[in-house]
Every structure is written in C-alpha cells, then in structure tokens.
Amino acid sequence: MSIRLSLIILFLVFLSCKDTNKQAIETFNPALKPSALIETFRYQPHASPWISAHRGGVGIANYPENCLETIKYVNDSIAAVFEIDVAKTKDGVLVLMHDNTLERTTTGTDKLTKYTFKELQEFQLVDDFGTMTNFKIPKFTDVLAWSKANNAILTIDIKKSVDVAEVIQVIRENHAEDISVIITYDMEQARKAYMLAPELLLSVSARNQQELEWLLKSEIPTHNMIAFTGTKLSDTSLYHNLHKNGIKTMLGTLGNLDKQAEAKGDSLYIKWQKLGIDVFATDRPFEAAKALNIMK
C-alpha cells in the first residue's frame, strides 16, 4: 500500500471518528430549554448579593457538612445557594461527601468507595466539633428532590471518582436543571461540561485576567458563566471586566477572609461587596447574610 493511500485512509478514519464523537455529544445534548439560573445569575448592577453555604453549611453545632438536614436548617433562616460535593459509592450510588475517607465526617472508617450505599447507612454523620448526630449520608437524588421542591439552588462540586456526564444525566432525569450549577476548575472541565450540558449554568474559574481571557475566547457563552475569582481578593479591575461581560463574581471568603471578618468585624462583607463581589462562598453563612441584610 502506498504512503499516499495510507494517509488518505487515516484521514477518512479521523473524520469518521470526529463525526461519531460529535453525533454522540449532540445525541446526549438535545436542544433543551436553558436553565432559569442563566437569567437569574446574569450580572445586573445594584442587584442584591448572594450567599453560598460551603459544603451545605459548616461549623454549625449538631449539623454536619454535606447533610440534607443542615441544608434545610440553613435554608430556614437565609436565602442561600448551597455548595455540595458529590461522590460515588461502591455500588454506583451518588451521595454527598467531600473526603475520600469517612473518618472526619462520619462514625465510619476507610474509603467511601469500599462501601455500598446500604452499608454506609450503618454510620452516622458527625459535625465539625466531633459530635455524632442522627443524620445519615444523603443520596444526591434526595437532595435534588428537596432542593427542587423548595427552590434551593445547588452548586455541585463533582469529585474525581465521578464523571460529570453521570451527574448531568441525574440532574436531567430529576428535572433539576433550574436549581443546579456545575462547578468546574479549569478550561478543560468547563468545555466538557458545556458540551454535555449547554443548558446549564457553570461556575468557572476566573482568578485573574488571563483566565478571564481564556474564557472569553472559548466557545462557552458568557451567559452560561458565573465566575469564581478565588479565595483571596483580586484587583477590582478583574471584577469590573467580568461585570462588563455580564458575568457575576463569586469570592471564596471561606478560610482566611472569613477569619478576617470574624476578627475585624462582619462589615468587611459589605466592603467586599462594594469592591464588586456578587456571591460570597462562605463558612459563615449566617453572619455574612446578616451583615449583607439578606436574611429571610
């Protein structure tokens, strides 16, 4: 076989594979109605800020992180977005869990993936102070159902053991598009999530001007984005440029910035809002909400 003929065959095979992949994506992604969150989180000047409760709520006595009862408890007092972590059990059930192992947040031991969902129900969730509660590791579908019924918005952090396509499928099966945001950490993850679910709002990383430029040059429309700007303050020009492109900003005050507010006064949340922050991802949801006057 001549080299020329071999190259032609390889080129035709490449085109065939490309068309097959494109067809698979289009089959998995029918033209669906855009999530209501795309409009809800479009940047508008002078709009009220949002609180995002890290891991559904942390540091709350008798209420563990990534726990449905904790989400309900926080939701009773403030209108919050709830950041949750989704992992997968040995038998393929999607559950809420941040760590790979069980010791810190439950009465169990060893890796989550060594247990079936039924086996995990033998353990109790533990709060951040080491107190055992009566609460159990929840199924992702149960959290979706409650959130949909109560119009509570979830930002979904997908752990490495879980494929984003699987989470998107569950969101669609439960008709939870209007309360679900997919968290991504880099351009590769953002592109994949957008290709699979162009109807969903994405949390994308824009910690500096370079990352913003990458996003603006990508195929992802800006109206599909809410920008996570990191866990430290950026130059206000970044927030201005994000707003100029219609993108809301999210600052991770969890960690050092929350500690600053606790030590120096919760009025710091107001100061940061005036700098250009629209959403506060925080370990202190009650205090931040009170300072920003967004309690229920």
Side-chain angles (χ1 to χ4, degrees):
M1 184 183 293
S2 69
I3 294 176
R4 180 184 177 86
L5 182 57
S6 297
L7 289 173
I8 291 172
I9 291 171
L10 285 172
F11 180 70
L12 291 174
V13 169
F14 170 77
L15 286 179
S16 175
C17 291
K18 187 176 180 181
D19 288 342
T20 301
N21 289 337
K22 182 179 179 182
Q23 184 179 13
I25 290 171
E26 289 177 346
T27 300
F28 190 70
N29 292 304
L32 298 175
K33 179 183 176 183
S35 163
L37 298 182
I38 288 177
E39 184 58 37
T40 299
F41 282 89
R42 191 188 301 272
Y43 172 70
Q44 297 289 344
H46 312 300
S48 297
W50 288 80
I51 296 296
S52 175
H54 186 216
R55 300 182 192 171
V58 300
I60 306 172
N62 301 312
Y63 286 95
E65 67 179 52
N66 278 305
C67 171
L68 180 53
E69 287 78 9
T70 303
I71 293 172
K72 292 176 181 178
Y73 176 72
V74 175
N75 190 67
D76 284 341
S77 299
I78 63 175
V81 174
F82 296 95
E83 186 264 346
I84 59 171
D85 301 281
V86 174
K88 186 160 60 173
T89 66
K90 180 180 179 180
D91 55 338
V93 177
L94 297 183
V95 297
L96 269 56
M97 177 63 61
H98 177 272
D99 298 1
N100 293 326
T101 56
L102 300 174
E103 285 85 351
R104 184 178 66 86
T105 59
T106 81
T107 55
T109 60
D110 218 326
K111 292 183 178 181
L112 172 80
T113 52
K114 289 192 174 183
Y115 296 91
T116 66
F117 178 74
K118 183 177 180 180
E119 289 168 342
L120 287 171
Q121 296 309 290
E122 297 298 316
F123 307 133
Q124 309 297 119
L125 286 172
V126 174
D127 72 11
D128 285 338
F129 307 97
T131 303
M132 185 179 72
T133 72
N134 292 324
F135 307 137
K136 306 286 187 177
I137 296 171
K139 284 185 180 179
F140 178 47
T141 51
D142 290 340
V143 177
L144 280 179
W146 181 89
S147 299
K148 182 182 174 185
N150 291 273
N151 199 31
I153 299 167
L154 303 172
T155 61
I156 303 163
D157 192 341
I158 303 167
K159 309 321 284 184
K160 291 182 180 179
S161 61
V162 185
D163 194 317
V164 62
E166 187 174 358
V167 173
I168 289 168
Q169 182 180 352
V170 172
I171 289 170
R172 286 175 172 162
E173 287 173 351
N174 287 270
H175 307 290
E177 294 91 339
D178 288 343
I179 54 96
S180 299
V181 181
I182 299 295
I183 294 174
T184 65
Y185 289 97
D186 54 42
M187 282 306 309
E188 182 181 356
Q189 290 180 347
R191 285 193 179 100
K192 180 177 180 180
Y194 176 69
M195 282 195 303
L196 292 173
E199 78 276 17
L200 293 183
L201 184 66
L202 305 178
S203 171
V204 295
S205 180
R207 295 166 296 178
N208 51 56
Q209 193 61 39
Q210 179 64 75
E211 290 186 342
L212 174 56
E213 290 299 323
W214 291 337
L215 289 166
L216 295 178
K217 291 177 182 177
S218 74
E219 67 276 23
I220 306 169
T222 54
H223 61 247
N224 281 75
M225 303 177 187
I226 179 169
F228 183 73
T229 62
T231 56
K232 61 182 180 180
L233 291 168
S234 300
D235 190 277
T236 54
S237 62
L238 176 63
Y239 309 139
H240 173 76
N241 289 335
L242 284 161
H243 288 163
K244 188 170 65 175
N245 285 280
I247 306 171
K248 278 188 183 291
T249 62
M250 179 188 295
L251 175 66
T253 61
L254 50 97
N256 288 334
L257 293 176
D258 274 342
K259 290 176 183 176
Q260 284 184 33
E262 186 174 12
K264 299 179 180 179
D266 293 339
S267 60
L268 281 178
Y269 295 110
I270 301 172
K271 178 182 177 181
W272 298 330
Q273 181 196 7
K274 290 178 179 177
L275 293 178
I277 303 306
D278 304 304
V279 183
F280 294 81
T282 179
D283 287 336
R284 304 177 71 235
F286 297 118
E287 293 86 352
K290 184 176 181 180
L292 294 164
N293 196 29
I294 50 177
M295 302 294 286
K296 280 188 174 178

